[in-house]
Amino acid sequence: HAITKPTCSLVSYRRATMSSASDKIICVRCKRQNATFFVRVKTTQTIADVKQEISDALSCSSDDSSPSASPTAVPPQKMRIYASDKEGSDPLPNAATLADHEIASDAILYVVFRKAGKEDVEDATADADDDCWEGIAIETGEME
């Protein structure tokens, strides 16, 4: 799979940013709560495809002994991806491509999961109650 752990190497990052054509491979940062991981994707991939890449990355990292590793993979339909961590922003639609939203290499995507016990709605893109979803609680990186 197109997964690098824990970060994209400088060589793969340069290859991704030097690619040309519409099927450009990019490395994006995926943030969820206090964890950040990187996935390599094509700009022509849909958000649904990116969710699958994230699910695959999380299932690979569950073999890892790090405390931030997810115990099991989260299915793509139980996650949302946002291009902004601003309150009130809308999740990216599954059918849209990264290029549609001008997601470039080294962009940050914010990943949230459906809350435990709130998994009765099958489609994560349905207009479900936002209380069913985790908040976008991201570390700001500011020093205290």
Side-chain angles (χ1 to χ4, degrees):
H1 292 292
I3 303 166
T4 55
K5 295 185 333 185
T7 61
C8 290
S9 71
L10 185 56
V11 172
S12 65
Y13 177 79
R14 284 189 178 148
R15 282 186 191 140
T17 57
M18 292 171 54
S19 297
S20 60
S22 61
D23 210 16
K24 182 177 176 181
I25 296 174
I26 61 173
C27 187
V28 294
R29 299 174 197 222
C30 298
K31 291 191 172 197
R32 177 180 177 265
Q33 297 176 343
N34 295 331
T36 299
F37 51 96
F38 294 76
V39 293
R40 289 183 49 208
V41 291
K42 295 179 181 179
T43 55
T44 55
Q45 284 183 277
T46 65
I47 299 303
D49 295 333
V50 175
K51 287 179 180 180
Q52 185 61 56
E53 293 287 342
I54 292 169
S55 180
D56 294 345
L58 292 174
S59 66
C60 287
S61 70
S62 66
D63 298 334
D64 191 341
S65 61
S66 71
S68 63
S70 178
T72 58
V74 173
Q77 64 272 22
K78 293 186 180 177
M79 65 175 76
R80 285 181 172 176
I81 297 178
Y82 295 81
S84 171
D85 65 343
K86 303 291 184 242
E87 192 69 34
S89 60
D90 292 326
L92 299 177
N94 283 337
T97 66
L98 293 171
D100 292 341
H101 290 279
E102 298 177 356
I103 305 296
S105 199
D106 206 33
I108 300 172
L109 297 177
Y110 301 91
V111 181
V112 298
F113 296 157
R114 182 171 285 287
K115 290 180 182 175
K118 304 276 187 175
E119 300 171 353
D120 52 343
V121 177
E122 286 293 317
D123 183 9
T125 60
D127 289 331
D129 184 6
D130 283 338
D131 290 337
C132 294
W133 297 94
E134 298 173 331
I136 306 177
I138 305 296
E139 280 186 5
T140 60
E142 294 175 8
M143 301 298 285
E144 293 188 40

